[in-house]
Amino acid sequence: GANCFGTGLCHGLYISTSGNVIEENEVSRILGGYGVHVYKGGSTPTYKAIDNNVVRGNTVYDIPTKGGILLTSGNGHQAVNNFVWKTNGDGGIIAKNTCAGCKILSNTIGKVTSGAGIYNGSGAKGTEIRNNIMWGSTTPYKNAETAAPPVFDHNWCAASICAPYTANPFCQ
């Protein structure tokens, strides 16, 4: 079952502590939330960031509202070797808010109908995005962090969706 917080806000897996490995899960058909949600809510003075969670080797699909995998609220989170498809909302794999030094590596993301295949949101400083495959999505990649832009290297997206992005160095 899903982890629900309030009315209609449910996530497949909700990670709110540091140092976890979330590995080899199948997460699907989550309504109202993210497939995998790495987040710690709260405010000063009780807020404590969460760090160094690894989301690895998971299959996340049919997430119609928020997105596939969200990395936020801490340093050093990683999304590695996941297969994410058929998502809406923010996108397939998302780093945002206070995700500093997070990594999105060697994932396959497809058929994101709104949002981006990979979305590096405002506040995600120094994200490393490498060796990912993005296919069948309207927007393969989007960056909203200008103060500390991500490293985006050796990513590939299907030619049919990259045609409008031929001048875009992110679709290589």
Side-chain angles (χ1 to χ4, degrees):
N3 297 288
C4 296
F5 305 89
T7 304
L9 188 56
C10 299
H11 309 291
L13 298 170
Y14 185 87
I15 312 306
S16 62
T17 58
S18 295
N20 297 287
V21 176
I22 299 89
E23 186 172 40
E24 297 184 11
N25 296 285
E26 182 175 324
V27 181
S28 66
R29 298 186 262 311
I30 302 299
L31 300 176
Y34 293 94
V36 178
H37 194 226
V38 178
Y39 173 76
K40 172 72 171 164
S43 60
T44 313
T46 59
Y47 175 79
K48 183 179 183 302
I50 57 171
D51 299 316
N52 303 312
N53 288 292
V54 178
V55 181
R56 176 175 62 209
N58 298 284
T59 301
V60 181
Y61 63 97
D62 286 340
I63 312 295
T65 308
K66 290 286 189 180
I69 298 171
L70 173 67
L71 305 175
T72 188
S73 302
N75 302 315
H77 300 311
Q78 299 179 39
V80 181
N81 198 32
N82 297 288
F83 185 37
V84 180
W85 86 97
K86 288 177 68 180
T87 66
N88 280 317
D90 288 341
I93 299 179
I94 305 102
K96 67 180 187 177
N97 299 337
T98 56
C99 191
C102 292
K103 296 180 180 185
I104 300 173
L105 309 170
S106 303
N107 298 283
T108 301
I109 303 114
K111 296 196 176 196
V112 176
T113 54
S114 67
I118 294 176
Y119 176 54
N120 192 65
S122 178
K125 299 189 185 324
T127 307
E128 183 179 328
I129 303 169
R130 297 181 191 269
N131 302 319
N132 297 285
I133 298 171
M134 295 162 275
W135 55 275
S137 302
T138 305
T139 304
Y141 168 76
K142 182 178 178 181
N143 177 51
E145 175 53 50
T146 56
V151 172
F152 196 99
D153 185 43
H154 288 87
N155 295 287
W156 183 86
C157 57
S160 63
I161 62 167
C162 283
Y165 304 98
T166 53
N168 185 337
F170 299 124
C171 277
Q172 301 178 22

